[in-house]
Amino acid sequence: MTPSPQVQEILAQSPLFRDLGGPELEALAAVATLRPLRKGEVLFLEGDPAHTLFIVAEGLIKVYKMDPQGRRQMVLHLDGPHQAVAAVAIFLEKPRYPASAEALEDSLLLALPSGDFHRLLETHPALARALIRFLARRQRQLVHLLDRLVFHEVSARLAEYLLGRLETEGQGFRLPTNPELAALLGTVPEAVSRKLGELFRQGLIRLANRRVWIDDPAALRALAEA
Amino acid sequence: MTPSPQVQEILAQSPLFRDLGGPELEALAAVATLRPLRKGEVLFLEGDPAHTLFIVAEGLIKVYKMDPQGRRQMVLHLDGPHQAVAAVAIFLEKPRYPASAEALEDSLLLALPSGDFHRLLETHPALARALIRFLARRQRQLVHLLDRLVFHEVSARLAEYLLGRLETEGQGFRLPTNPELAALLGTVPEAVSRKLGELFRQGLIRLANRRVWIDDPAALRALAEA
DNA sequence: CCAGCCCTTTGACCCAGGTCATGGCCCGCA
DNA sequence: TGCGGGCCATGACCTGGGTCAAAGGGCTGG
């Protein structure tokens, strides 16, 4: 965590606000507040009234639904630097967060009062356009997630996850804990453990500590599609 | 299907466009085309390039994902009169429909070229605002669907469905076919048949033809939460 | 008015994966 | 240095619900 980040700088790097002019950014920066969050801290809970939009400056935020008994959770998306969190909630008639959010790492967020954001939206078509694009992209991603959950089994979802990490980070990336991974895949830690073991036994991947090397991407791809 | 519906009239009734001024509506109406669709006809398929936004004038449109083998399908939402279809797709970088759509009844749609829509958006904040609200609401609904699918079993989803119909239509509403209902609930026709049978045997509902009377809404509610 | 097609119901079967319990390990903290 | 809590792996078990097959039933279009 860097000592004193430039609020305007953060705003200017976010896809949502990057098209705004200098004066607008300054005005926004004036009403924004910084919100540090320690690993594991909760940002908001499903059902909380939503007055605030967040921009991630540093760290990683997990947005998730919790099951009724409060034991399992299902991750909807992870948001890193420059990403907006809770952009949806503040536009509902009764603004309440439809999911919960917590920090996966020590993080720093920019909090923007929803009133100010709404006001800015009125007068800045570029902001509206960026927001619309953002919402459309996120919705596409949610539909994809739904598709995977309904039509594909755990091993296929795991395979897709591994290939995704491989693509963005290359060989040897570090896995999250099994409970975290299970929440990402919509299953339970035991299942993750077993499926990883299978992949290893079949020679598709190698594991050391929590690092992964993928030996047979083609086979993994086939698994992911199945 | 009424003989010759007023295009402007249809636009003016849609939540998306109702806040536009007369001249804008007229301009939009000039570029809109009417698209009749017979029951069962496909409007677009997942993956098709998306140049067009639709507004339902009459009828009912089903938007759904198909499973890889093309046997089961999962309904994402149903859209009746005044609703927009495919509002998301045209805002993606590579505009392709993320799901398929077909008519559940004989329908009439208004087709708006996405270019015109984009242009209108630039200059009309009210339209942007309405669209943002629309996208936010739909996203909330998708998250709810996902939650139900991941955390609740078929009988709970069926119970919720029945209560929803009861609320909006009262006793004695008509069920869709089992395959349709299965697609709505994310399961297979056989499971729907069995679960309906169970509810009947437990005395929670009565069935005649395909009409439903709900005798014990409280018990059904309990089931839905479980 | 008939033939065919799809829907419905039901039974038998099966399997992915969720649950529970055990034992070992690692790591942070006192 | 010892303790405790969470993580990990694995086995045993169980069940929701998906698959397949068979036997009516009813709507529809020719």
Side-chain angles (χ1 to χ4, degrees), chain A residues 71 153-154 187-188 190-191 194-195:
Chain A
R71 302 199 297 185
E153 35 197 65
V154 171
T187 181
V188 296
E190 293 93 327
R194 287 185 225 275
K195 297 300 180 183

Side-chain angles (χ1 to χ4, degrees), chain B residues 153-154 187-188 194:
Chain B
E153 37 197 64
V154 170
T187 180
V188 296
R194 286 185 224 276

Side-chain angles (χ1 to χ4, degrees), chain B residues 192-211:
Chain B
V192 171
S193 177
R194 286 185 224 276
K195 296 302 180 183
L196 280 172
E198 270 179 44
L199 292 182
F200 171 70
R201 257 167 274 122
Q202 296 166 186
L204 306 199
I205 66 174
R206 262 168 309 131
L207 292 162
N209 309 348
R210 288 248 102 199
R211 296 194 173 278

Side-chain angles (χ1 to χ4, degrees), chain B residues 78-99:
Chain B
L78 299 180
D79 293 299
H82 316 315
Q83 298 295 311
V85 173
V88 171
I90 62 172
F91 292 101
L92 300 173
E93 338 62 65
K94 265 191 32 180
R96 302 187 163 275
Y97 299 109

Side-chain angles (χ1 to χ4, degrees), chain B residues 148 156 159-160 163 166-167 204 214 216-226:
Chain B
R148 298 297 295 182
E160 183 188 42
L163 289 168
L166 176 63
E167 193 159 327
L204 306 199
I214 296 183
D216 194 341
L220 223 46
R221 202 144 327 167
L223 230 190
E225 321 262 313

Side-chain angles (χ1 to χ4, degrees), chain B residues 14 57 63 65 76 95 101 104 112 123 126 172 180 215:
Chain B
S14 145
V63 177
K65 283 289 241 189
L76 300 179
L104 282 184
L112 301 172
T123 48
E180 282 304 338
D215 292 333

